[in-house]
Amino acid sequence: MSLTAAGAIGEHTVPSEKGFSTSDKSFDGKGDVETATVDADSDSEEGVLSNERDIATHVISVDDDPSLNPWTFRAFFIGLGLSTFGGVLAEIYYFKPQTVVVSLMFLAVVSYILGVFMETVIPRRGLLRYLNPGPFNKKENAFVVIMASASANSALGTEVLAVQRLYYNITPNVGASVFLLFSSQLLGYGIGGMMRSILLYPSKMLYPSVLPLLSMFDALYGGGMAARKKLRVFYIVFTAFFFWELFPEWIFPLLTGLSIICLAAPNNAAVSRVFGGTNGNEGLGLLSISFDWQYISPGLNPMTIPLKAQVSSLLGYILCMVVFVAVYYNNIWKAQNFPFLSQLLFYENGTQYDQTLILNFNYEVDPTLLAEQGIPYYSSTWVVNLLSSNLGLAATLTHLLLWNRDDISSAWSWMNLSGIKKLWANFDWKFWQSDGMRKQDIDDEDIDPHYKQMLKYPDAPNSWYFVVFLLAFVVALVVLYKTDSTLPWWGFLISLLLATISILFFCALAAITGLMLSIQPFVQMIGGYLHSGLPVANMYFVLYGYNTVTQANLLLRDLKIAQYAKLPPRAAFTAQILGTLLGAILNFIMMNSIIDNQREILLSVQGTNIWSGQQPQMYNSQAIAWGGLSHELFSAGQRYQWVPWAYVLGLFIPVPFWVIHRYWPKLHADYLYTPIIAYFIGWLCVGINSANLSYFAVAFLSQWWLRTRYPRWFSKYNYIIGAALDGGTQVMAFILSFAVQGAGGTSHLIPAWWGANQGGNYDHCLMLN
């Protein structure tokens, strides 16, 4: 298994792909689980899609029509409208009991409908013909999706602001808050944009999560009988799941997680912890069957993630349940004093810890006040999550260095005197005059076919991304000192250095596997030891150290959409900047509205099936623990000393697998992603857990059975069906959020009945205090 992160940070060239390892081919040999067994009735002459280049060239079209124009009035009109819509929806989902993201398919479907509507109703004669130049095209749709996608992510800066409102009773200045969001969102764009040649252009950087979207585009805009058949399938599935979502989300919420064991033993606390899972922080959801696609595909569509990554996450999931139960029932770290699943801090007797009682007027931890209140505790399952996160993050570094040593070294080959001189000489300081044309041999067979098509368009050069970075950097420094963040300038610089290194490793992992590991615990630990006793400084350190990586990953993902859709780079750049700035403003407005209307629920441990403060709770408790009490909780000899030690242990996890594969390659030890296995050991620590069995069932049905038994059908329909499932579900989920679930104020839940247990957990497991 090869996780490639290769190349040099160059503006005009992209590395040849001859250096990329393609050891994946070894898994299609005779007798392997991924060997094609094509059914005689499938009428297929195609083999199993065995590597990233095969998938990128067979599942989606490589062709380009340069005559298609994305710079149209309706593209901007729909893009800004959907950015408004997506920014509001993303902030609503931030306060949900399960982490859900706004689906790309949802945005694409809505934009397609609106585009066709404008194409139909706007006259093509007279002055109005400039507003309707012709049929709504694929590049317009991609432009709209990228703009709306940039807006439809809850900015981490709103998490800092929410914590200040909920736990510190601070309402920050509006202007400073908005500029805080701008700077924290754009820093990652600047850094990630300058790494495009490493993390975007090569075929190995597949970004599997975007394949359903591009498959849908091919169906919507492709000609011929095959495209019409795919489009018909899309409409049928989309419509069916649009109406189906009414049942699990409102009429029959028991379908969020049907647990026979909960129904058989509704008053058993142990059953609730292990088998319950339909409500936030209820239990592990073992053997629960979910019929709610919103939770089966909360952010990672199981029909898109490669099988190898799914196998590793399944192993981690199984280990997670074993470890959680063992830790709790062996009362490790006094586990039974606290809720089974929680992100809060507690006193030893199990009551919620009041952090304001240990802080002075400068929001620093006062040793005298701390001695009076005592050192807080975490729920033990949350400690396991911290341990596993650290193991996975450290294992990622070793894994890449072992399996991709040559690629990683080439990625940093520019960091020498001659390389820096070359970058300096080639850097176009008059960025506004750059023609953007890239010098590349278009006859080179090793260039990614999609990237080759993009060479005809002017690029958004590195200088543009550098200017974005520089502006965000200056604004961030001003905001840090104007808002009394307590984070010094040198701490801010260290956070950006950590982010830059992390982008190379973890964005490469996300590009290949579709799974993005959160580096938040690692950044919090570093910030905690650098700024001990300063929880607010820790929040800002994490904002700029962690959110920068997240934003870089989102930028690169959306630029991959542009590359697959052949959207000119400068159009993609414009869409991303506009969407990001608009989304930040809307996130801020919506956050304040939800806190005003749902404050008590957001402060409660479990929340409801609709609203939850789990994410600001987690962010706050981590800031207090790491920023204020890192030495008291995590240093050598203290209660949670193994949490930072997990970074050291994690460095060695991939080594045995690498040794086994080197000397006994037939054992296929390279089939396992050790960072993902380690990371998923803490996966079930939060949220609604009733959908995991359904998630893996769909994943293996799609990525194993269909892909290997019916490869032709898989290539034609797998990703378009995934797009329809996400799109239909999320359109209805948005409608229900405002119509009945209280996103706009008062909620209107279905009257209580057996399938809607409004007074307790929906799966009828015991509600635990």
Side-chain angles (χ1 to χ4, degrees):
M1 164 199 37
S2 174
L3 299 180
T4 304
I9 302 181
E11 187 170 307
H12 298 295
T13 62
V14 64
S16 168
E17 296 186 14
K18 289 180 179 178
F20 296 135
S21 170
T22 54
S23 58
D24 300 34
K25 293 179 181 178
S26 63
F27 303 121
D28 295 313
K30 186 176 180 179
D32 187 82
V33 294
E34 295 193 46
T35 302
T37 306
V38 181
D39 188 270
D41 297 329
S42 67
D43 191 30
S44 173
E45 297 178 357
E46 298 182 21
V48 178
L49 305 181
S50 60
N51 58 45
E52 292 84 356
R53 195 179 180 102
D54 284 349
I55 294 172
T57 54
H58 285 78
V59 171
I60 53 181
S61 172
V62 181
D63 298 332
D64 178 35
D65 181 356
S67 67
L68 299 180
N69 178 25
W71 302 97
T72 64
F73 164 79
R74 64 189 173 204
F76 278 92
F77 182 82
I78 298 171
L80 292 172
L82 267 188
S83 295
T84 303
F85 178 75
V88 170
L89 184 58
E91 198 64 21
I92 291 172
Y93 280 149
Y94 171 76
F95 291 102
K96 288 287 187 178
Q98 179 77 341
T99 303
V100 178
V101 298
V102 181
S103 169
L104 290 172
M105 266 62 67
F106 166 67
L107 298 173
V109 168
V110 175
S111 63
Y112 173 75
I113 293 170
L114 294 175
V116 172
F117 175 78
M118 292 185 70
E119 168 197 328
T120 304
V121 301
I122 297 177
R124 296 186 186 177
R125 295 183 299 275
L127 293 177
L128 291 178
R129 70 180 183 276
Y130 297 108
L131 303 183
N132 187 11
F136 188 67
N137 66 63
K138 179 179 179 179
K139 294 185 181 181
E140 287 179 285
N141 208 337
F143 180 87
V144 171
V145 169
I146 289 174
M147 184 186 294
S149 171
S151 175
N153 291 284
S154 178
L156 186 68
T158 61
E159 198 159 11
V160 174
L161 302 173
V163 167
Q164 289 180 314
R165 282 202 60 186
L166 289 168
Y167 295 99
Y168 293 86
N169 296 316
I170 298 173
T171 302
N173 174 271
V174 173
S177 299
V178 171
F179 280 106
L180 172 73
L181 298 178
F182 285 171
S183 64
S184 61
Q185 293 294 88
L186 292 176
L187 279 168
Y189 277 15
I191 299 172
M194 290 186 284
M195 289 189 177
R196 301 187 315 286
S197 61
I198 308 168
L199 300 172
L200 174 66
Y201 299 150
S203 296
K204 197 73 175 178
M205 301 303 165
L206 179 64
Y207 293 87
S209 63
V210 307
L211 295 179
L213 172 67
L214 276 303
S215 179
M216 185 186 72
F217 280 167
D218 287 345
L220 294 176
Y221 299 102
M225 182 63 69
R228 287 196 293 273
K229 287 176 66 177
K230 289 175 69 174
L231 191 58
R232 182 168 167 240
V233 169
F234 174 83
Y235 284 140
I236 292 171
V237 177
F238 179 94
T239 303
F241 271 74
F242 172 81
F243 289 107
W244 169 254
E245 190 63 14
L246 271 169
F247 291 90
E249 272 296 287
W250 188 52
I251 298 171
F252 197 174
L254 176 63
L255 296 175
T256 301
L258 180 61
S259 173
I260 301 300
I261 298 175
C262 281
L263 295 175
N267 298 314
N268 188 303
V271 166
S272 183
R273 295 186 185 101
V274 177
F275 298 98
T278 54
N279 290 60
N281 290 0
E282 179 189 351
L284 303 181
L286 178 60
L287 301 182
S288 287
I289 301 174
S290 178
F291 299 91
D292 188 345
W293 187 258
Q294 180 180 200
Y295 295 118
I296 296 173
S297 177
L300 296 172
N301 190 315
M303 301 176 73
T304 66
I305 305 301
L307 182 62
K308 289 190 292 183
Q310 299 282 17
V311 170
S312 297
S313 60
L314 175 61
L315 292 175
Y317 166 68
I318 294 171
L319 288 172
C320 178
M321 290 186 288
V322 173
V323 172
F324 275 18
V325 171
V327 165
Y328 186 81
Y329 285 101
N330 284 288
N331 205 29
I332 297 174
W333 299 304
K334 300 186 178 180
Q336 296 179 20
N337 288 20
F338 318 113
F340 183 51
L341 302 178
S342 178
Q343 302 78 52
L344 296 174
L345 292 170
F346 298 94
Y347 292 102
E348 187 175 355
N349 63 6
T351 58
Q352 188 172 333
Y353 198 81
D354 189 346
Q355 68 188 49
T356 60
L357 298 180
I358 65 171
L359 302 177
N360 61 24
F361 63 92
N362 287 324
Y363 303 107
E364 301 169 347
V365 174
D366 187 309
T368 303
L369 297 176
L370 178 62
E372 295 175 358
Q373 297 298 314
I375 305 295
Y377 283 79
Y378 277 123
S379 68
S380 294
T381 52
W382 184 251
V383 179
V384 173
N385 172 65
L386 296 178
L387 282 163
S388 67
S389 297
N390 297 350
L391 287 171
L393 295 176
T396 300
L397 302 178
T398 305
H399 188 100
L400 286 166
L401 292 172
L402 287 175
W403 298 95
N404 302 80
R405 182 171 57 254
D406 294 338
D407 297 332
I408 292 296
S409 63
S410 66
W412 295 96
S413 61
W414 60 275
M415 289 192 66
N416 54 54
L417 185 59
S418 61
I420 293 173
K421 286 182 178 179
K422 184 178 179 181
L423 283 176
W424 182 270
N426 291 333
F427 193 85
D428 189 357
W429 296 100
K430 296 182 179 181
F431 59 89
W432 59 90
Q433 296 179 350
S434 173
D435 64 6
M437 299 311 295
R438 290 161 282 188
K439 300 174 183 176
Q440 189 74 44
D441 181 8
I442 61 173
D443 295 324
D444 186 349
E445 295 181 358
D446 296 305
I447 299 177
D448 176 76
H450 296 279
Y451 175 73
K452 186 184 295 187
Q453 294 279 15
M454 296 291 285
L455 294 174
K456 66 173 72 78
Y457 301 110
D459 191 24
N462 278 354
S463 55
W464 288 21
Y465 289 99
F466 178 75
V467 169
V468 170
F469 169 78
L470 188 62
L471 291 174
F473 181 88
V474 172
V475 171
L477 278 177
V478 172
V479 168
L480 286 176
Y481 284 92
K482 288 296 183 181
T483 57
D484 298 321
S485 68
T486 69
L487 179 67
W489 65 268
W490 57 267
F492 171 63
L493 293 181
I494 292 175
S495 72
L496 290 185
L497 177 62
L498 285 173
T500 303
I501 297 172
S502 298
I503 286 168
L504 174 64
F505 286 91
F506 297 104
C507 289
L509 180 69
I512 296 170
T513 68
L515 301 173
M516 182 67 179
L517 306 189
S518 172
I519 68 164
Q520 184 173 337
F522 173 71
V523 176
Q524 283 171 321
M525 183 189 76
I526 299 299
Y529 282 107
L530 287 175
H531 310 291
S532 182
L534 300 173
V536 176
N538 189 268
M539 287 196 294
Y540 281 87
F541 187 88
V542 172
L543 173 63
Y544 288 109
Y546 162 62
N547 188 61
T548 299
V549 180
T550 301
Q551 285 300 107
N553 183 59
L554 293 174
L555 169 120
L556 292 164
R557 182 202 67 182
D558 289 350
L559 289 180
K560 196 68 175 185
I561 294 173
Q563 181 169 306
Y564 285 148
K566 316 306 178 296
L567 178 70
R570 295 188 173 187
F573 178 89
T574 302
Q576 286 179 309
I577 298 299
L578 287 177
T580 299
L581 297 179
L582 178 58
I585 296 171
L586 295 167
N587 287 171
F588 176 72
I589 295 171
M590 201 65 199
M591 175 208 71
N592 285 319
S593 174
I594 293 174
I595 290 177
D596 289 340
N597 288 289
Q598 311 292 342
R599 184 182 183 89
E600 295 306 315
I601 292 175
L602 300 180
L603 289 169
S604 66
V605 174
Q606 185 165 334
T608 68
N609 182 258
I610 299 171
W611 298 108
S612 172
Q614 65 178 20
Q615 298 204 65
Q617 288 172 12
M618 175 173 58
Y619 199 69
N620 173 66
S621 64
Q622 290 286 77
I624 292 293
W626 284 112
L629 305 169
S630 55
H631 292 285
E632 292 83 355
L633 285 173
F634 300 108
S635 293
Q638 302 303 322
R639 184 185 305 140
Y640 303 131
Q641 62 175 327
W642 284 105
V643 171
W645 275 111
Y647 288 109
V648 178
L649 297 176
L651 293 173
F652 297 95
I653 290 177
V655 175
F657 296 87
W658 181 78
V659 171
I660 290 171
H661 181 66
R662 178 163 185 159
Y663 293 101
W664 301 280
K666 292 184 179 180
L667 294 178
H668 292 307
D670 58 344
Y671 198 81
L672 300 176
Y673 291 115
T674 50
I676 293 175
I677 295 173
Y679 189 85
F680 270 68
I681 293 175
W683 189 27
L684 303 176
C685 63
V686 65
I688 291 175
N689 291 323
S690 59
N692 295 307
L693 182 61
S694 300
Y695 172 90
F696 285 113
V698 173
F700 281 84
L701 174 68
S702 167
Q703 289 291 322
W704 176 63
W705 191 71
L706 289 175
R707 186 170 69 86
T708 61
R709 271 55 184 172
Y710 301 93
R712 184 184 179 92
W713 192 98
F714 176 88
S715 178
K716 289 174 61 178
Y717 295 114
N718 180 75
Y719 294 97
I720 194 70
I721 289 175
L725 291 170
D726 280 350
T729 297
Q730 289 217 345
V731 170
M732 178 56 76
F734 175 82
I735 294 171
L736 292 176
S737 292
F738 282 93
V740 298
Q741 293 180 342
T746 306
S747 60
H748 304 280
L749 302 180
I750 198 81
W753 65 287
W754 178 80
N757 184 27
Q758 306 293 6
N761 293 321
Y762 285 127
D763 54 14
H764 292 273
C765 263
L766 181 66
M767 175 76 80
L768 302 176
N769 294 323

